């Protein structure tokens, strides 16, 4: 928590700036933003947040793919809404995946990564297909 909470706080502080980063870098610079510094801070905070979460819970594939993309599909492109909603979707998805992993083959137990991959692979293919259609 000592690494996770401060890094999430930094990401929340920069959430408005993430909306601006959807513009080309030249436009962002014209708005008075130090682009390189902001990118460095966000990459460092994201890396620290991810490493803290993975060191605590282990590598659980596809949660990082499903949660933010689901939030974007449901809420649009405003990062002030996407970031907290992604946290809720990711944690809810993981709880449901863990429940499924514990109950599908009882009295045994599946690794939760298998359940997340089983859900994430079709979602990933959906995103790829949707992107091909829009191009």
């Amino acid at each position: 928590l000592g690494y996770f909470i401060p890094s999430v706080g930094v990401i929340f502080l920069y959430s408005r700036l993430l909306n601006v980063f959807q513009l080309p870098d030249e436009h962002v610079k014209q708005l008075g933003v130090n682009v390189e510094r902001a990118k460095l801070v966000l990459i460092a905070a994201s890396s620290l947040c991810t490493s803290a979460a993975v060191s605590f819970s282990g590598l659980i594939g596809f949660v990082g793919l499903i949660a933010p993309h689901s939030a974007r599909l449901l809420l649009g492109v405003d990062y002030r809404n996407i970031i907290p909603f992604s946290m809720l979707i990711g944690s809810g998805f993981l709880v449901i995946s863990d429940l499924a992993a514990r109950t599908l083959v009882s009295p045994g137990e599946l690794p939760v990564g298998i359940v997340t991959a089983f859900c994430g692979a079709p979602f990933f293919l959906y995103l790829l297909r949707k992107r091909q259609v829009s191009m």
Side-chain angles (χ1 to χ4, degrees):
L1 286 175
Y3 297 112
F4 184 78
I5 291 174
S7 60
V8 168
V10 169
I11 293 170
F12 275 126
L13 288 174
Y14 278 80
S15 62
R16 283 182 179 233
L17 189 58
L18 286 170
N19 291 329
V20 176
F21 275 144
Q22 295 179 41
L23 299 170
D25 282 354
E26 296 81 31
H27 296 282
V28 177
K29 285 180 184 177
Q30 290 175 356
L31 293 172
V33 175
N34 185 345
V35 175
E36 296 306 316
R37 180 179 171 272
K39 283 182 181 180
L40 182 65
V41 168
L42 282 166
I43 289 171
S46 299
S47 299
L48 187 61
C49 180
T50 302
S51 62
V54 168
S55 70
F56 182 74
S57 63
L59 181 63
I60 301 166
F62 288 108
V63 174
L65 176 73
I66 291 174
H69 286 289
S70 298
R72 182 180 291 271
L73 289 172
L74 293 171
L75 298 174
V77 295
D78 190 354
Y79 283 100
R80 292 173 296 170
N81 297 328
I82 290 175
I83 292 171
F85 201 64
S86 292
M87 294 172 134
L88 291 173
I89 289 175
S91 59
F93 173 63
L94 199 52
V95 167
I96 292 169
S97 296
D98 185 54
L99 179 67
R102 292 174 189 262
T103 58
L104 284 175
V105 291
S106 67
E109 186 176 324
L110 285 173
V112 75
I114 291 175
V115 177
T116 59
F118 186 72
C119 297
F123 188 76
F124 183 64
L125 292 173
Y126 164 75
L127 289 176
L128 286 175
R129 189 171 241 356
K130 182 179 173 187
R131 184 175 174 132
Q132 285 178 348
V133 170
S134 66
M135 290 180 130

